[in-house]
Amino acid sequence: MGRSPCCDGEAGVKKGPWTPEEDKLLVDYISEKGHGSWRRLPKLAGLNRCGKSCRLRWTNYLRPDIKRGRFDDDEEKLIIHLHSILGNKWSSIATKLPGRTDNEIKNYWNTHLRKKLLGMGIDPVTHRPRTDLSLLAGLPALLAAAGSFSSGSGAGASWVENMNALRLQADAAKFQLLQGLVRALTTNTSAAAAPMAGNGGGSGVQDHLMALLGGGEETTPASSPMFFDGLESLNLDDHLNTDGGWKDLLEQMSWLNSTEL
DNA sequence: AACCATTGCAACCGCGCTGGG
DNA sequence: GCCCAGCGCGGTTGCAATGGT
């Protein structure tokens, strides 16, 4: 299917940012005659651009029905919801958001929403709570920093505040991790529909984890020194069909138990 | 005030799909 | 069925604007 890129061979064709004059030529031409063949449009409109560049400029910027400005909360929620269903199908997502272009949505996702979800402990690809080791990656640094503060070397006027801030961050990371475990267990067990020991609908493991979380209250800080007590003994592999990743995870978690905050 | 780092977005690139000859 | 032109899509890059030191 060899097809040379549309702009190859068009020597001297302009690239880069569009000038107001070029915009006007393009808008005037399309308003009067429609875009027709994008390939022929530049010549007909008197533009020294390739057709592809014209199409992009029109669809992403000059089209009269484009809605510019910040995305509101409803649009944000809709994008996240649609992304969880459609993945990176930006053009499909864009059809559900009138006035927004696929490029705009893609940019907004990459610069805002992805980070927002990561900050909430949600994997932006799977839209599920992150249970991967990368969540733990930042903890050693946090804990080390907290340790150096508590050792009192060169403590400044606000070292207590810094210490508390670090503790809160570490707690939050721990809490997110455990929430992820609970959710993963919940979805895994319900999907497998495997009856497990315990009361009613929940498993003993889930109950244990929920108890560690403080009854499942999302706002409960996981600051107890016993936070991870007994996690290793839960033997999650009995309940999860995994490739061993959970064992690695628990090994990584073991040092948390031994680290005094 | 000057420099550097980060962020946000417009534009480009390359690949795959589709339809006509 | 094959070839190719044209288009659309998703990923990536470049750069101006902004913030921090």
Side-chain angles (χ1 to χ4, degrees):
Chain A
M1 277 185 287
R3 189 184 79 81
S4 58
C6 87
C7 299
D8 277 11
E10 296 183 35
V13 126
K14 192 185 170 194
K15 291 183 179 182
W18 281 63
T19 65
E21 291 75 25
E22 288 175 313
D23 283 347
K24 187 172 185 314
L25 280 173
L26 184 58
V27 170
D28 287 351
Y29 182 84
I30 293 178
S31 308
E32 194 184 334
K33 307 194 172 161
H35 62 73
S37 163
W38 286 112
R39 188 132 176 135
R40 283 188 291 273
L41 183 144
K43 196 166 259 180
L44 296 171
L47 284 158
N48 186 26
R49 294 270 183 177
C50 75
K52 200 171 188 176
S53 180
C54 294
R55 180 176 59 81
L56 224 54
R57 183 64 178 170
W58 174 256
T59 55
N60 288 335
Y61 203 83
L62 297 174
R63 245 171 47 200
D65 58 332
I66 281 182
K67 179 177 167 186
R68 308 207 70 82
R70 257 196 70 82
F71 284 77
D72 60 37
D73 285 349
D74 288 342
E75 287 177 312
E76 228 174 65
K77 284 173 193 161
L78 186 54
I79 292 169
I80 292 169
H81 174 64
L82 291 171
H83 187 271
S84 72
I85 299 166
L86 300 168
N88 292 1
K89 303 287 177 199
W90 305 117
S91 58
S92 304
I93 294 172
T95 62
K96 307 292 179 193
L97 285 111
R100 300 294 190 182
T101 69
D102 55 353
N103 201 43
E104 195 178 11
I105 293 168
K106 178 175 61 182
N107 283 333
Y108 190 68
W109 175 267
N110 287 328
T111 55
H112 293 97
L113 296 180
R114 219 173 63 87
K115 291 174 192 169
K116 196 169 179 177
L117 291 181
L118 284 171
M120 292 161 69
I122 296 169
D123 187 324
V125 177
T126 63
H127 289 259
R128 297 175 70 177
R130 298 171 71 205
T131 54
D132 58 298
L133 296 182
S134 64
L135 185 62
L136 292 168
L139 273 175
L142 279 174
L143 295 168
S148 69
F149 271 119
S150 60
S151 68
S153 60
S158 62
W159 78 269
V160 174
E161 290 168 27
N162 289 329
M163 180 68 189
N164 286 337
L166 286 165
R167 277 183 175 171
L168 281 173
Q169 285 181 51
D171 281 349
K174 282 181 177 181
F175 187 58
Q176 282 179 9
L177 183 62
L178 205 45
Q179 278 186 310
L181 278 170
V182 170
R183 286 185 189 141
L185 273 168
T186 306
T187 49
N188 190 290
T189 52
S190 62
M196 299 207 297
N199 54 8
S203 71
V205 177
Q206 283 172 246
D207 291 344
H208 194 129
L209 287 170
M210 293 304 282
L212 284 170
L213 276 169
E217 294 292 333
E218 302 227 342
T219 54
T220 303
S223 51
S224 160
M226 299 163 62
F227 189 68
F228 285 101
D229 283 359
L231 257 186
E232 283 177 288
S233 67
L234 289 177
N235 197 14
L236 291 171
D237 276 359
D238 285 354
H239 306 284
L240 290 167
N241 182 22
T242 71
D243 56 1
W246 286 95
K247 274 189 175 158
D248 293 339
L249 182 59
L250 288 175
E251 277 173 25
Q252 290 288 321
M253 290 165 102
S254 63
W255 61 261
L256 287 170
N257 278 328
S258 60
T259 308
E260 189 63 37
L261 277 180

